[in-house]
């Protein structure tokens, strides 16, 4: 039986400061490093056989720590990069609401999955590049678990894909920092075991 664990990265400086974050490389905070250690401990008993990660440091450091604890090397995969937020990179959310009102109206509407960030990607773009990697990992015969460490919007779209949900269902999903979502793959079908489990970092 193959299992896939999808993790969101730990807290970064941009998360702490409440600014838009996409492809910029924002360093983990002290709280983020505590989340990292707690997550590694939480996955210690998992039979991890492969670790894949976004190349951004807030994800990569967590992936490398998990991989090292299981005697593995983390694989960097561009498919797991966060949504390219374009002009919203590094912009505080109050400013986004003021300057990009027209975009936000579309982003919250029925075509949200196809609405690109100003100068960036859409959620459909994220799905198009990330879903084939999930399918590839799910199809690999394995007696262990593959860990994918990525970002907020990627985790949401991978869950939508794995569960064959309507694409706009991403808006109904929440992902916490260092949250763990687990799927087991039976006869090629991903089956959700848990989603956005943050119990291991609840007190951090």
């Amino acid at each position: 039986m193959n299992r896939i664990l999808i993790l969101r990265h730990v807290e970064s400086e941009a998360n702490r400061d409440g600014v838009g974050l996409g492809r910029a490389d924002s360093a983990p905070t002290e709280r983020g490093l505590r989340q990292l250690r707690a997550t590694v401990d939480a996955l210690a008993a998992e039979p991890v056989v492969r670790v894949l990660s976004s190349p951004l440091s807030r994800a990569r450091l967590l992936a490398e720590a998990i991989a090292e604890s299981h005697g593995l090397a983390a694989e960097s995969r561009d498919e797991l990069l966060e949504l390219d937020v374009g002009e919203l990179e590094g912009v505080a959310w109050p400013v986004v609401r003021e300057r990009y009102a027209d975009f936000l109206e579309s982003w919250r509407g029925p075509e949200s999955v196809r609405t690109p960030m100003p100068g960036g990607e859409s959620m459909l773009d994220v799905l198009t590049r990330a879903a084939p990697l999930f399918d590839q990992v799910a199809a690999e015969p394995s007696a262990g678990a593959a860990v994918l460490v990525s970002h907020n919007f990627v985790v949401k779209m991978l869950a939508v894909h794995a569960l064959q949900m309507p694409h706009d269902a991403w808006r109904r999903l929440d992902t916490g920092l260092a949250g763990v979502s687990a799927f087991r793959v039976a006869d090629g079908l991903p089956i959700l075991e848990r989603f956005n489990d943050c119990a291991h970092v609840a007190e951090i």
Side-chain angles (χ1 to χ4, degrees):
M1 180 182 68
N2 190 7
R3 294 182 73 243
I4 302 175
L5 307 179
I6 305 176
L7 278 64
R8 187 181 175 192
H9 62 81
V10 299
E11 183 184 75
S12 72
E13 293 173 351
N15 298 131
R16 179 197 61 199
D17 298 340
V19 300
L21 183 60
R23 299 292 179 82
D25 210 356
S26 182
T29 62
E30 286 299 318
R31 179 171 181 256
L33 294 177
R34 293 195 298 273
Q35 292 173 337
L36 182 152
R37 291 187 287 271
T39 305
V40 170
D41 290 344
L43 299 186
E46 289 282 352
V48 177
V49 295
R50 190 177 182 192
V51 180
L52 302 88
S53 175
S54 160
L56 299 176
S57 65
R58 58 190 184 273
R60 189 186 71 248
L61 292 176
L62 175 58
E64 290 174 347
I66 294 169
E68 182 179 2
S69 72
H70 291 274
L72 303 168
E75 306 171 37
S76 180
R77 300 295 297 251
D78 287 347
E79 298 97 321
L80 297 175
L81 278 164
E82 178 59 301
L83 171 75
D84 183 349
V85 300
E87 297 172 18
L88 305 191
E89 193 79 68
V91 180
W93 286 114
V95 177
V96 172
R97 287 191 288 270
E98 178 182 346
R99 295 182 183 174
Y100 296 91
D102 290 344
F103 158 72
L104 289 177
E105 184 175 356
S106 297
W107 176 250
R108 292 167 178 155
E111 291 297 307
S112 63
V113 74
R114 294 179 175 83
T115 301
M117 289 280 176
E121 287 184 305
S122 69
M123 294 296 280
L124 192 59
D125 292 329
V126 171
L127 178 69
T128 299
R129 63 176 161 81
L133 177 62
F134 180 92
D135 291 343
Q136 174 191 328
V137 174
E140 294 172 351
S142 172
V147 174
L148 280 59
V149 185
S150 192
H151 306 268
N152 178 35
F153 293 120
V154 180
V155 173
K156 290 178 179 183
M157 292 312 292
L158 286 179
V160 164
H161 172 70
L163 298 175
Q164 299 181 4
M165 300 166 69
H167 290 168
D168 62 359
W170 71 269
R171 300 198 64 88
R172 299 174 181 267
L173 302 177
D174 192 20
T175 60
L177 294 164
V180 179
S181 299
F183 297 83
R184 59 184 171 88
V185 183
D187 297 325
L189 184 66
I191 300 172
L192 182 65
E193 294 181 333
R194 52 187 168 132
F195 182 77
N196 192 35
D197 182 357
C198 297
H200 57 291
V201 291
E203 302 302 320
I204 296 176

